[in-house]
Short mmCIF file of all heavy atoms in Angstrom, two decimals:
data_model
loop_
_atom_site.label_atom_id
_atom_site.label_comp_id
_atom_site.label_asym_id
_atom_site.label_seq_id
_atom_site.Cartn_x
_atom_site.Cartn_y
_atom_site.Cartn_z
N ILE K 1 -179.40 100.75 -121.42
CA ILE K 1 -179.28 100.23 -122.80
C ILE K 1 -180.21 100.95 -123.77
O ILE K 1 -179.78 101.31 -124.88
CB ILE K 1 -179.53 98.70 -122.81
CG1 ILE K 1 -178.41 97.99 -122.04
CG2 ILE K 1 -179.63 98.18 -124.24
CD1 ILE K 1 -178.59 96.48 -121.95
N PRO K 2 -181.50 101.20 -123.45
CA PRO K 2 -182.34 101.94 -124.41
C PRO K 2 -181.78 103.32 -124.74
O PRO K 2 -181.88 103.77 -125.90
CB PRO K 2 -183.69 102.04 -123.68
CG PRO K 2 -183.70 100.88 -122.75
CD PRO K 2 -182.28 100.72 -122.29
N ARG K 3 -181.19 104.01 -123.78
CA ARG K 3 -180.60 105.32 -124.05
C ARG K 3 -179.39 105.19 -124.97
O ARG K 3 -179.17 106.04 -125.84
CB ARG K 3 -180.20 105.99 -122.74
CG ARG K 3 -181.38 106.40 -121.86
CD ARG K 3 -180.92 106.86 -120.48
NE ARG K 3 -179.88 107.89 -120.57
CZ ARG K 3 -179.18 108.31 -119.52
NH1 ARG K 3 -179.39 107.77 -118.33
NH2 ARG K 3 -178.27 109.24 -119.67
N MET K 4 -178.60 104.16 -124.78
CA MET K 4 -177.46 103.92 -125.66
C MET K 4 -177.91 103.68 -127.09
O MET K 4 -177.36 104.25 -128.05
CB MET K 4 -176.65 102.72 -125.17
CG MET K 4 -175.86 102.95 -123.89
SD MET K 4 -174.93 101.46 -123.45
CE MET K 4 -173.80 102.12 -122.22
N LEU K 5 -178.92 102.82 -127.25
CA LEU K 5 -179.41 102.51 -128.59
C LEU K 5 -180.01 103.74 -129.25
O LEU K 5 -179.80 103.99 -130.45
CB LEU K 5 -180.43 101.38 -128.52
CG LEU K 5 -180.97 100.85 -129.85
CD1 LEU K 5 -179.83 100.32 -130.72
CD2 LEU K 5 -182.01 99.75 -129.62
N ALA K 6 -180.74 104.54 -128.49
CA ALA K 6 -181.32 105.76 -129.05
C ALA K 6 -180.23 106.74 -129.46
O ALA K 6 -180.34 107.39 -130.51
CB ALA K 6 -182.25 106.40 -128.02
N ALA K 7 -179.17 106.85 -128.67
CA ALA K 7 -178.07 107.75 -129.03
C ALA K 7 -177.38 107.29 -130.30
O ALA K 7 -177.02 108.11 -131.16
CB ALA K 7 -177.07 107.83 -127.87
N ALA K 8 -177.18 105.98 -130.46
CA ALA K 8 -176.54 105.46 -131.66
C ALA K 8 -177.40 105.72 -132.89
O ALA K 8 -176.89 106.08 -133.96
CB ALA K 8 -176.25 103.97 -131.51
N ARG K 9 -178.69 105.54 -132.75
CA ARG K 9 -179.59 105.76 -133.89
C ARG K 9 -179.70 107.25 -134.24
O ARG K 9 -179.59 107.63 -135.41
CB ARG K 9 -180.98 105.22 -133.56
CG ARG K 9 -181.10 103.69 -133.52
CD ARG K 9 -182.45 103.32 -132.96
NE ARG K 9 -182.74 101.90 -133.04
CZ ARG K 9 -183.78 101.33 -132.44
NH1 ARG K 9 -184.61 102.07 -131.72
NH2 ARG K 9 -183.98 100.03 -132.56
N ASP K 10 -179.93 108.08 -133.24
CA ASP K 10 -180.19 109.50 -133.49
C ASP K 10 -178.94 110.24 -133.96
O ASP K 10 -179.01 111.10 -134.84
CB ASP K 10 -180.74 110.16 -132.22
CG ASP K 10 -182.07 109.56 -131.79
OD1 ASP K 10 -182.72 108.91 -132.63
OD2 ASP K 10 -182.43 109.73 -130.60
N ASP K 11 -177.79 109.93 -133.36
CA ASP K 11 -176.56 110.65 -133.68
C ASP K 11 -175.74 109.97 -134.76
O ASP K 11 -174.76 110.55 -135.24
CB ASP K 11 -175.70 110.81 -132.42
CG ASP K 11 -176.43 111.58 -131.32
OD1 ASP K 11 -177.36 112.34 -131.67
OD2 ASP K 11 -176.08 111.41 -130.14
N GLY K 12 -176.11 108.75 -135.14
CA GLY K 12 -175.38 108.05 -136.19
C GLY K 12 -173.95 107.72 -135.82
O GLY K 12 -173.06 107.77 -136.67
N VAL K 13 -173.70 107.40 -134.54
CA VAL K 13 -172.35 107.08 -134.09
C VAL K 13 -172.17 105.56 -134.04
O VAL K 13 -173.13 104.80 -134.02
CB VAL K 13 -172.07 107.70 -132.72
CG1 VAL K 13 -172.11 109.21 -132.80
CG2 VAL K 13 -173.07 107.19 -131.67
N ASP K 14 -170.90 105.16 -134.01
CA ASP K 14 -170.58 103.73 -133.98
C ASP K 14 -170.40 103.19 -132.56
O ASP K 14 -170.54 101.99 -132.34
CB ASP K 14 -169.30 103.46 -134.77
CG ASP K 14 -169.51 103.58 -136.26
OD1 ASP K 14 -170.30 102.79 -136.81
OD2 ASP K 14 -168.90 104.47 -136.89
N VAL K 15 -170.07 104.04 -131.62
CA VAL K 15 -169.82 103.61 -130.25
C VAL K 15 -170.51 104.57 -129.29
O VAL K 15 -170.44 105.79 -129.46
CB VAL K 15 -168.30 103.57 -129.93
CG1 VAL K 15 -168.07 103.01 -128.52
CG2 VAL K 15 -167.54 102.74 -130.95
N VAL K 16 -171.17 104.00 -128.29
CA VAL K 16 -171.76 104.79 -127.21
C VAL K 16 -171.20 104.24 -125.90
O VAL K 16 -171.46 103.09 -125.54
CB VAL K 16 -173.29 104.73 -127.20
CG1 VAL K 16 -173.85 105.56 -126.04
CG2 VAL K 16 -173.86 105.22 -128.52
N TYR K 17 -170.40 105.05 -125.20
CA TYR K 17 -169.78 104.62 -123.96
C TYR K 17 -170.69 104.91 -122.77
O TYR K 17 -171.26 106.00 -122.69
CB TYR K 17 -168.44 105.34 -123.75
CG TYR K 17 -167.40 105.07 -124.80
CD1 TYR K 17 -167.17 105.98 -125.83
CD2 TYR K 17 -166.65 103.91 -124.78
CE1 TYR K 17 -166.22 105.75 -126.80
CE2 TYR K 17 -165.69 103.66 -125.75
CZ TYR K 17 -165.48 104.59 -126.75
OH TYR K 17 -164.54 104.34 -127.71
N GLY K 18 -170.76 103.96 -121.87
CA GLY K 18 -171.40 104.21 -120.59
C GLY K 18 -170.39 104.83 -119.65
O GLY K 18 -169.38 104.19 -119.31
N VAL K 19 -170.62 106.07 -119.24
CA VAL K 19 -169.66 106.80 -118.42
C VAL K 19 -170.23 106.98 -117.01
O VAL K 19 -171.36 107.45 -116.85
CB VAL K 19 -169.34 108.19 -119.03
CG1 VAL K 19 -168.41 108.98 -118.13
CG2 VAL K 19 -168.72 108.01 -120.41
N ARG K 20 -169.46 106.63 -116.02
CA ARG K 20 -169.91 106.71 -114.63
C ARG K 20 -169.72 108.13 -114.11
O ARG K 20 -168.59 108.60 -113.99
CB ARG K 20 -169.10 105.73 -113.76
CG ARG K 20 -169.08 104.33 -114.32
CD ARG K 20 -167.84 103.58 -113.86
NE ARG K 20 -167.72 102.29 -114.52
CZ ARG K 20 -166.62 101.54 -114.48
NH1 ARG K 20 -165.55 101.97 -113.85
NH2 ARG K 20 -166.58 100.37 -115.10
N ASN K 21 -170.80 108.81 -113.81
CA ASN K 21 -170.70 110.17 -113.27
C ASN K 21 -170.72 110.17 -111.75
O ASN K 21 -170.57 111.22 -111.12
CB ASN K 21 -171.83 111.05 -113.80
CG ASN K 21 -173.20 110.49 -113.46
OD1 ASN K 21 -173.34 109.54 -112.70
ND2 ASN K 21 -174.23 111.09 -114.05
N ASP K 22 -170.91 109.01 -111.14
CA ASP K 22 -170.89 108.88 -109.68
C ASP K 22 -170.30 107.51 -109.33
O ASP K 22 -170.93 106.48 -109.56
CB ASP K 22 -172.31 109.01 -109.12
CG ASP K 22 -172.32 109.03 -107.59
OD1 ASP K 22 -171.29 108.67 -106.97
OD2 ASP K 22 -173.37 109.40 -107.01
N ARG K 23 -169.08 107.52 -108.79
CA ARG K 23 -168.41 106.27 -108.42
C ARG K 23 -168.24 106.17 -106.91
O ARG K 23 -167.25 105.63 -106.41
CB ARG K 23 -167.04 106.20 -109.11
CG ARG K 23 -167.11 106.24 -110.62
CD ARG K 23 -165.76 105.98 -111.25
NE ARG K 23 -165.25 104.66 -110.92
CZ ARG K 23 -164.20 104.11 -111.53
NH1 ARG K 23 -163.58 104.77 -112.50
NH2 ARG K 23 -163.78 102.92 -111.18
N SER K 24 -169.18 106.71 -106.18
CA SER K 24 -169.08 106.70 -104.72
C SER K 24 -169.14 105.29 -104.15
O SER K 24 -168.72 105.07 -103.00
CB SER K 24 -170.21 107.55 -104.11
OG SER K 24 -171.48 107.09 -104.55
N THR K 25 -169.67 104.33 -104.91
CA THR K 25 -169.71 102.96 -104.42
C THR K 25 -168.35 102.27 -104.50
O THR K 25 -168.15 101.24 -103.86
CB THR K 25 -170.74 102.14 -105.22
OG1 THR K 25 -170.39 102.19 -106.62
CG2 THR K 25 -172.14 102.71 -105.04
N ASP K 26 -167.42 102.82 -105.29
CA ASP K 26 -166.07 102.26 -105.35
C ASP K 26 -165.24 102.77 -104.18
O ASP K 26 -165.50 103.85 -103.63
CB ASP K 26 -165.39 102.65 -106.68
CG ASP K 26 -166.03 101.98 -107.87
OD1 ASP K 26 -166.66 100.92 -107.68
OD2 ASP K 26 -165.92 102.51 -108.99
N THR K 27 -164.22 102.01 -103.84
CA THR K 27 -163.33 102.44 -102.76
C THR K 27 -162.47 103.61 -103.21
O THR K 27 -162.28 103.85 -104.40
CB THR K 27 -162.43 101.27 -102.32
OG1 THR K 27 -161.58 100.90 -103.42
CG2 THR K 27 -163.26 100.08 -101.89
N TRP K 28 -161.95 104.35 -102.22
CA TRP K 28 -161.08 105.49 -102.52
C TRP K 28 -159.86 105.03 -103.31
O TRP K 28 -159.45 105.69 -104.27
CB TRP K 28 -160.65 106.15 -101.22
CG TRP K 28 -159.63 107.24 -101.41
CD1 TRP K 28 -159.86 108.55 -101.70
CD2 TRP K 28 -158.20 107.09 -101.36
NE1 TRP K 28 -158.69 109.24 -101.84
CE2 TRP K 28 -157.64 108.37 -101.62
CE3 TRP K 28 -157.35 106.02 -101.12
CZ2 TRP K 28 -156.27 108.58 -101.65
CZ3 TRP K 28 -155.98 106.24 -101.15
CH2 TRP K 28 -155.45 107.51 -101.41
N PHE K 29 -159.28 103.91 -102.93
CA PHE K 29 -158.09 103.42 -103.62
C PHE K 29 -158.40 103.10 -105.08
O PHE K 29 -157.61 103.43 -105.98
CB PHE K 29 -157.56 102.17 -102.92
CG PHE K 29 -156.43 101.48 -103.65
CD1 PHE K 29 -155.14 102.01 -103.60
CD2 PHE K 29 -156.66 100.34 -104.40
CE1 PHE K 29 -154.10 101.39 -104.28
CE2 PHE K 29 -155.63 99.71 -105.08
CZ PHE K 29 -154.34 100.24 -105.02
N LYS K 30 -159.55 102.48 -105.34
CA LYS K 30 -159.89 102.12 -106.71
C LYS K 30 -160.12 103.36 -107.57
O LYS K 30 -159.70 103.40 -108.73
CB LYS K 30 -161.14 101.23 -106.72
CG LYS K 30 -161.46 100.64 -108.09
CD LYS K 30 -162.57 99.61 -108.01
CE LYS K 30 -162.81 98.97 -109.36
NZ LYS K 30 -163.88 97.93 -109.30
N ARG K 31 -160.76 104.37 -107.01
CA ARG K 31 -161.00 105.59 -107.79
C ARG K 31 -159.70 106.31 -108.12
O ARG K 31 -159.47 106.71 -109.27
CB ARG K 31 -161.94 106.53 -107.02
CG ARG K 31 -163.35 106.01 -106.84
CD ARG K 31 -164.29 107.13 -106.43
NE ARG K 31 -163.88 107.74 -105.17
CZ ARG K 31 -164.30 107.37 -103.98
NH1 ARG K 31 -165.16 106.37 -103.87
NH2 ARG K 31 -163.90 107.98 -102.89
N VAL K 32 -158.83 106.45 -107.13
CA VAL K 32 -157.58 107.18 -107.34
C VAL K 32 -156.66 106.41 -108.27
O VAL K 32 -156.06 106.98 -109.20
CB VAL K 32 -156.88 107.44 -105.99
CG1 VAL K 32 -155.50 108.03 -106.21
CG2 VAL K 32 -157.72 108.37 -105.14
N SER K 33 -156.54 105.10 -108.07
CA SER K 33 -155.66 104.29 -108.92
C SER K 33 -156.16 104.26 -110.36
O SER K 33 -155.36 104.27 -111.31
CB SER K 33 -155.53 102.88 -108.37
OG SER K 33 -156.81 102.24 -108.30
N ALA K 34 -157.47 104.22 -110.54
CA ALA K 34 -158.02 104.22 -111.90
C ALA K 34 -157.72 105.53 -112.62
O ALA K 34 -157.33 105.53 -113.80
CB ALA K 34 -159.53 103.96 -111.86
N GLN K 35 -157.90 106.65 -111.93
CA GLN K 35 -157.60 107.94 -112.54
C GLN K 35 -156.13 108.04 -112.92
O GLN K 35 -155.79 108.48 -114.03
CB GLN K 35 -157.97 109.07 -111.57
CG GLN K 35 -159.47 109.25 -111.35
CD GLN K 35 -160.14 109.92 -112.54
OE1 GLN K 35 -159.50 110.52 -113.39
NE2 GLN K 35 -161.47 109.81 -112.59
N ALA K 36 -155.24 107.61 -112.02
CA ALA K 36 -153.81 107.68 -112.30
C ALA K 36 -153.42 106.75 -113.45
O ALA K 36 -152.62 107.11 -114.32
CB ALA K 36 -153.01 107.32 -111.04
N PHE K 37 -154.03 105.58 -113.48
CA PHE K 37 -153.70 104.61 -114.53
C PHE K 37 -154.12 105.12 -115.90
O PHE K 37 -153.36 105.05 -116.87
CB PHE K 37 -154.39 103.28 -114.23
CG PHE K 37 -154.31 102.29 -115.35
CD1 PHE K 37 -153.10 101.72 -115.70
CD2 PHE K 37 -155.44 101.94 -116.06
CE1 PHE K 37 -153.02 100.80 -116.74
CE2 PHE K 37 -155.37 101.03 -117.09
CZ PHE K 37 -154.16 100.46 -117.43
N TYR K 38 -155.32 105.67 -116.02
CA TYR K 38 -155.79 106.16 -117.31
C TYR K 38 -154.96 107.35 -117.78
O TYR K 38 -154.72 107.52 -118.98
CB TYR K 38 -157.27 106.53 -117.23
CG TYR K 38 -158.19 105.36 -117.42
CD1 TYR K 38 -158.61 104.58 -116.34
CD2 TYR K 38 -158.64 104.99 -118.69
CE1 TYR K 38 -159.46 103.50 -116.51
CE2 TYR K 38 -159.49 103.92 -118.87
CZ TYR K 38 -159.89 103.17 -117.78
OH TYR K 38 -160.72 102.09 -117.95
N LYS K 39 -154.54 108.20 -116.86
CA LYS K 39 -153.68 109.32 -117.24
C LYS K 39 -152.33 108.82 -117.75
O LYS K 39 -151.79 109.33 -118.73
CB LYS K 39 -153.50 110.27 -116.06
CG LYS K 39 -154.73 111.09 -115.72
CD LYS K 39 -154.45 112.05 -114.58
CE LYS K 39 -155.69 112.89 -114.27
NZ LYS K 39 -155.46 113.82 -113.13
N LEU K 40 -151.78 107.79 -117.08
CA LEU K 40 -150.51 107.22 -117.51
C LEU K 40 -150.62 106.61 -118.89
O LEU K 40 -149.76 106.85 -119.76
CB LEU K 40 -150.05 106.17 -116.49
CG LEU K 40 -148.76 105.42 -116.84
CD1 LEU K 40 -147.58 106.38 -116.88
CD2 LEU K 40 -148.51 104.31 -115.83
N ILE K 41 -151.67 105.83 -119.14
CA ILE K 41 -151.87 105.23 -120.46
C ILE K 41 -152.05 106.30 -121.52
O ILE K 41 -151.54 106.21 -122.63
CB ILE K 41 -153.07 104.28 -120.45
CG1 ILE K 41 -152.75 103.05 -119.58
CG2 ILE K 41 -153.44 103.84 -121.85
CD1 ILE K 41 -151.69 102.15 -120.14
N GLY K 42 -152.81 107.35 -121.18
CA GLY K 42 -153.03 108.42 -122.14
C GLY K 42 -151.74 109.14 -122.52
O GLY K 42 -151.54 109.49 -123.69
N LEU K 43 -150.84 109.36 -121.55
CA LEU K 43 -149.58 110.03 -121.84
C LEU K 43 -148.64 109.14 -122.65
O LEU K 43 -147.93 109.62 -123.53
CB LEU K 43 -148.90 110.45 -120.53
CG LEU K 43 -149.57 111.58 -119.74
CD1 LEU K 43 -148.89 111.78 -118.40
CD2 LEU K 43 -149.55 112.88 -120.55
#
């Protein structure tokens, strides 16, 4: 949270997303289905 608030203040943005760069704790099915779902919604 402190990093998010600092990014919003310093960069003057309205939204700061928390992005997971390591999802090894999720199951294989959840990772694959999430990727496919977001690609489908994006298209």
Side-chain angles (χ1 to χ4, degrees):
I1 294 178
R3 291 171 53 190
M4 289 181 166
L5 185 59
R9 288 170 173 171
D10 298 342
D11 300 337
V13 296
D14 287 297
V15 184
V16 179
Y17 297 100
V19 176
R20 309 154 187 168
N21 59 9
D22 186 345
R23 300 188 62 168
S24 56
T25 58
D26 292 336
T27 64
W28 173 86
F29 173 77
K30 188 171 184 179
R31 293 196 300 268
V32 173
S33 60
Q35 290 285 343
F37 170 68
Y38 276 89
K39 288 182 179 179
L40 177 63
I41 292 292
L43 291 173

